Amino acid sequence: MTNDKRLIWFKGDIIPVNEAKINVLSPTSQFGANVFEGLRAYWNDADKELYVFKLEEHISRLLKSIKMMRFECEYDFDFLKRSVIEIIKANEYQEDIAIRQTVFLDGFGSWASTSPIDMFIAPIAKGRQYPPEHIGIECCVSSWERINDKSMSPKIKMGANYINSRMGQMEAMRNGYDSTIFLNDQGKVSEGPGSCIFIVRSGQLITPPVTASILESITRTTILDIARNDLGLVVVERDIDRTELYIADEMFLCGTAVEIVPVIGVDRLEVGNSVKGIITASIEKLYFDIVRSISGKHRSWLTPIYKR
Ligand code: PMP
């Protein structure tokens, strides 16, 4: 850490990451009172360009989280967007990266304070989560219920929500699984600890609705769009029962960080034939071609950083 020369955007300055200091008594540090986005940018060597995927959608969601948390800050859309571009450029990355943009409750206040608000933006080098030949992960259904809109809304992408994710992920790993799938307070399938879920049944691509105690995931929206409009698949947003996980033909988790990861087993029951399904593979291929600007499709979803 002490040799980390990586630059981050911190309270308006560009500084080495190990020089950033946050008050230990701040509500962000004590109670997780912060909202954030996890973004990715993909390097295209032929173009010599780094493309941020769906930057504007991430900024819009961050502003919604700020609003729901009633944070008092002046950050507007252009400033939030410009700052992300500025810090990626300052690091001169020529590889795939992940970016964390966090707006946090600073100062000496309590969990009910609404100011002062500050921000950091930290890019790090990060390649694909799983190589294309990776066949998939084993999940369990969590014994923990997903947080819901009556208590802590999963729609607010706030730090404290991830304690629910932590409980589920730790339980899964203790029991020898790679990850977990939460049910919501209605007993229906909700999402993973940091991802949304899709299943395939009889050729239909199915995902829980945004009211199923999920984050309004940007990857989920992207997949719904390309599955319908580019791949011509039948796509359905509806509640999913736990036992449908046991009889699904295919399944995958999706999110900016995990990208698209096939699930080949749930609660030690095989999904399909425990191999990556055909529909999953076709969505995965198109997704990676789009994010890296190889397919030529949906260029408006990409923000080039260097514009050479
Ligand atoms: N659900 C949760 C709980 C998440 O943390 C994430 C990752 N941000 C997702 C879903 C996927 O969201 P996105 O596709 O916008 O990254």
PDB file of all heavy atoms in Angstrom, residues 165-179:
ATOM      1  N   SER A 165     -25.087  -8.345   2.062  1.00  0.00           N
ATOM      2  CA  SER A 165     -24.320  -9.126   1.079  1.00  0.00           C
ATOM      3  C   SER A 165     -23.214  -9.916   1.764  1.00  0.00           C
ATOM      4  O   SER A 165     -22.957 -11.078   1.440  1.00  0.00           O
ATOM      5  CB  SER A 165     -23.691  -8.195   0.042  1.00  0.00           C
ATOM      6  OG  SER A 165     -24.693  -7.456  -0.618  1.00  0.00           O
ATOM      7  N   ARG A 166     -22.564  -9.266   2.724  1.00  0.00           N
ATOM      8  CA  ARG A 166     -21.467  -9.911   3.463  1.00  0.00           C
ATOM      9  C   ARG A 166     -21.955 -11.170   4.182  1.00  0.00           C
ATOM     10  O   ARG A 166     -21.324 -12.223   4.124  1.00  0.00           O
ATOM     11  CB  ARG A 166     -20.906  -8.896   4.480  1.00  0.00           C
ATOM     12  CG  ARG A 166     -19.909  -9.443   5.458  1.00  0.00           C
ATOM     13  CD  ARG A 166     -19.471  -8.351   6.454  1.00  0.00           C
ATOM     14  NE  ARG A 166     -18.761  -8.909   7.580  1.00  0.00           N
ATOM     15  CZ  ARG A 166     -17.457  -9.184   7.592  1.00  0.00           C
ATOM     16  NH1 ARG A 166     -16.738  -8.924   6.525  1.00  0.00           N
ATOM     17  NH2 ARG A 166     -16.877  -9.708   8.643  1.00  0.00           N
ATOM     18  N   MET A 167     -23.102 -11.049   4.861  1.00  0.00           N
ATOM     19  CA  MET A 167     -23.639 -12.196   5.598  1.00  0.00           C
ATOM     20  C   MET A 167     -23.887 -13.376   4.660  1.00  0.00           C
ATOM     21  O   MET A 167     -23.535 -14.518   4.961  1.00  0.00           O
ATOM     22  CB  MET A 167     -24.948 -11.820   6.303  1.00  0.00           C
ATOM     23  CG  MET A 167     -24.777 -10.823   7.416  1.00  0.00           C
ATOM     24  SD  MET A 167     -23.610 -11.449   8.616  1.00  0.00           S
ATOM     25  CE  MET A 167     -23.619 -10.150   9.811  1.00  0.00           C
ATOM     26  N   GLY A 168     -24.494 -13.081   3.520  1.00  0.00           N
ATOM     27  CA  GLY A 168     -24.807 -14.136   2.553  1.00  0.00           C
ATOM     28  C   GLY A 168     -23.549 -14.754   1.952  1.00  0.00           C
ATOM     29  O   GLY A 168     -23.428 -15.978   1.854  1.00  0.00           O
ATOM     30  N   GLN A 169     -22.611 -13.899   1.562  1.00  0.00           N
ATOM     31  CA  GLN A 169     -21.393 -14.395   0.912  1.00  0.00           C
ATOM     32  C   GLN A 169     -20.557 -15.229   1.888  1.00  0.00           C
ATOM     33  O   GLN A 169     -20.031 -16.287   1.531  1.00  0.00           O
ATOM     34  CB  GLN A 169     -20.579 -13.214   0.368  1.00  0.00           C
ATOM     35  CG  GLN A 169     -19.324 -13.606  -0.394  1.00  0.00           C
ATOM     36  CD  GLN A 169     -19.615 -14.388  -1.674  1.00  0.00           C
ATOM     37  OE1 GLN A 169     -20.638 -14.178  -2.322  1.00  0.00           O
ATOM     38  NE2 GLN A 169     -18.731 -15.313  -2.025  1.00  0.00           N
ATOM     39  N   MET A 170     -20.465 -14.760   3.136  1.00  0.00           N
ATOM     40  CA  MET A 170     -19.642 -15.499   4.115  1.00  0.00           C
ATOM     41  C   MET A 170     -20.253 -16.862   4.404  1.00  0.00           C
ATOM     42  O   MET A 170     -19.544 -17.857   4.511  1.00  0.00           O
ATOM     43  CB  MET A 170     -19.497 -14.686   5.408  1.00  0.00           C
ATOM     44  CG  MET A 170     -18.599 -13.466   5.237  1.00  0.00           C
ATOM     45  SD  MET A 170     -17.962 -12.789   6.789  1.00  0.00           S
ATOM     46  CE  MET A 170     -19.353 -12.827   7.832  1.00  0.00           C
ATOM     47  N   GLU A 171     -21.569 -16.889   4.536  1.00  0.00           N
ATOM     48  CA  GLU A 171     -22.239 -18.167   4.789  1.00  0.00           C
ATOM     49  C   GLU A 171     -21.982 -19.138   3.632  1.00  0.00           C
ATOM     50  O   GLU A 171     -21.662 -20.311   3.839  1.00  0.00           O
ATOM     51  CB  GLU A 171     -23.753 -17.946   4.947  1.00  0.00           C
ATOM     52  CG  GLU A 171     -24.523 -19.236   5.109  1.00  0.00           C
ATOM     53  CD  GLU A 171     -26.028 -19.029   5.015  1.00  0.00           C
ATOM     54  OE1 GLU A 171     -26.507 -18.454   4.004  1.00  0.00           O
ATOM     55  OE2 GLU A 171     -26.727 -19.435   5.945  1.00  0.00           O
ATOM     56  N   ALA A 172     -22.122 -18.621   2.401  1.00  0.00           N
ATOM     57  CA  ALA A 172     -21.923 -19.472   1.219  1.00  0.00           C
ATOM     58  C   ALA A 172     -20.513 -20.065   1.219  1.00  0.00           C
ATOM     59  O   ALA A 172     -20.329 -21.273   1.020  1.00  0.00           O
ATOM     60  CB  ALA A 172     -22.153 -18.648  -0.058  1.00  0.00           C
ATOM     61  N   MET A 173     -19.525 -19.232   1.476  1.00  0.00           N
ATOM     62  CA  MET A 173     -18.147 -19.704   1.411  1.00  0.00           C
ATOM     63  C   MET A 173     -17.828 -20.671   2.552  1.00  0.00           C
ATOM     64  O   MET A 173     -17.123 -21.654   2.355  1.00  0.00           O
ATOM     65  CB  MET A 173     -17.190 -18.507   1.364  1.00  0.00           C
ATOM     66  CG  MET A 173     -17.331 -17.796   0.015  1.00  0.00           C
ATOM     67  SD  MET A 173     -16.550 -16.206  -0.103  1.00  0.00           S
ATOM     68  CE  MET A 173     -14.856 -16.633   0.049  1.00  0.00           C
ATOM     69  N   ARG A 174     -18.413 -20.408   3.722  1.00  0.00           N
ATOM     70  CA  ARG A 174     -18.226 -21.349   4.849  1.00  0.00           C
ATOM     71  C   ARG A 174     -18.724 -22.736   4.496  1.00  0.00           C
ATOM     72  O   ARG A 174     -18.196 -23.744   4.931  1.00  0.00           O
ATOM     73  CB  ARG A 174     -19.046 -20.861   6.062  1.00  0.00           C
ATOM     74  CG  ARG A 174     -18.281 -20.066   7.075  1.00  0.00           C
ATOM     75  CD  ARG A 174     -19.018 -19.966   8.412  1.00  0.00           C
ATOM     76  NE  ARG A 174     -20.443 -19.752   8.389  1.00  0.00           N
ATOM     77  CZ  ARG A 174     -21.057 -18.588   8.279  1.00  0.00           C
ATOM     78  NH1 ARG A 174     -20.342 -17.486   8.139  1.00  0.00           N
ATOM     79  NH2 ARG A 174     -22.368 -18.498   8.303  1.00  0.00           N
ATOM     80  N   ASN A 175     -19.784 -22.763   3.679  1.00  0.00           N
ATOM     81  CA  ASN A 175     -20.399 -24.044   3.334  1.00  0.00           C
ATOM     82  C   ASN A 175     -19.891 -24.610   2.011  1.00  0.00           C
ATOM     83  O   ASN A 175     -20.486 -25.530   1.461  1.00  0.00           O
ATOM     84  CB  ASN A 175     -21.926 -23.890   3.313  1.00  0.00           C
ATOM     85  CG  ASN A 175     -22.462 -23.615   4.711  1.00  0.00           C
ATOM     86  OD1 ASN A 175     -21.878 -24.063   5.698  1.00  0.00           O
ATOM     87  ND2 ASN A 175     -23.541 -22.866   4.814  1.00  0.00           N
ATOM     88  N   GLY A 176     -18.818 -24.026   1.487  1.00  0.00           N
ATOM     89  CA  GLY A 176     -18.167 -24.599   0.304  1.00  0.00           C
ATOM     90  C   GLY A 176     -18.750 -24.174  -1.027  1.00  0.00           C
ATOM     91  O   GLY A 176     -18.472 -24.803  -2.052  1.00  0.00           O
ATOM     92  N   TYR A 177     -19.560 -23.120  -1.036  1.00  0.00           N
ATOM     93  CA  TYR A 177     -20.095 -22.594  -2.298  1.00  0.00           C
ATOM     94  C   TYR A 177     -19.279 -21.377  -2.727  1.00  0.00           C
ATOM     95  O   TYR A 177     -18.577 -20.761  -1.919  1.00  0.00           O
ATOM     96  CB  TYR A 177     -21.554 -22.158  -2.129  1.00  0.00           C
ATOM     97  CG  TYR A 177     -22.509 -23.285  -1.817  1.00  0.00           C
ATOM     98  CD1 TYR A 177     -22.867 -23.578  -0.502  1.00  0.00           C
ATOM     99  CD2 TYR A 177     -23.047 -24.063  -2.833  1.00  0.00           C
ATOM    100  CE1 TYR A 177     -23.745 -24.616  -0.207  1.00  0.00           C
ATOM    101  CE2 TYR A 177     -23.925 -25.103  -2.555  1.00  0.00           C
ATOM    102  CZ  TYR A 177     -24.265 -25.373  -1.236  1.00  0.00           C
ATOM    103  OH  TYR A 177     -25.127 -26.396  -0.964  1.00  0.00           O
ATOM    104  N   ASP A 178     -19.426 -21.012  -4.008  1.00  0.00           N
ATOM    105  CA  ASP A 178     -18.721 -19.817  -4.501  1.00  0.00           C
ATOM    106  C   ASP A 178     -19.482 -18.548  -4.150  1.00  0.00           C
ATOM    107  O   ASP A 178     -18.906 -17.509  -3.886  1.00  0.00           O
ATOM    108  CB  ASP A 178     -18.554 -19.884  -6.029  1.00  0.00           C
ATOM    109  CG  ASP A 178     -17.766 -21.098  -6.456  1.00  0.00           C
ATOM    110  OD1 ASP A 178     -16.618 -21.239  -5.987  1.00  0.00           O
ATOM    111  OD2 ASP A 178     -18.305 -21.930  -7.230  1.00  0.00           O
ATOM    112  N   SER A 179     -20.807 -18.611  -4.223  1.00  0.00           N
ATOM    113  CA  SER A 179     -21.601 -17.422  -3.940  1.00  0.00           C
ATOM    114  C   SER A 179     -23.023 -17.825  -3.553  1.00  0.00           C
ATOM    115  O   SER A 179     -23.311 -19.008  -3.358  1.00  0.00           O
ATOM    116  CB  SER A 179     -21.601 -16.472  -5.139  1.00  0.00           C
ATOM    117  OG  SER A 179     -22.094 -15.206  -4.740  1.00  0.00           O
TER     118      SER A 179
END
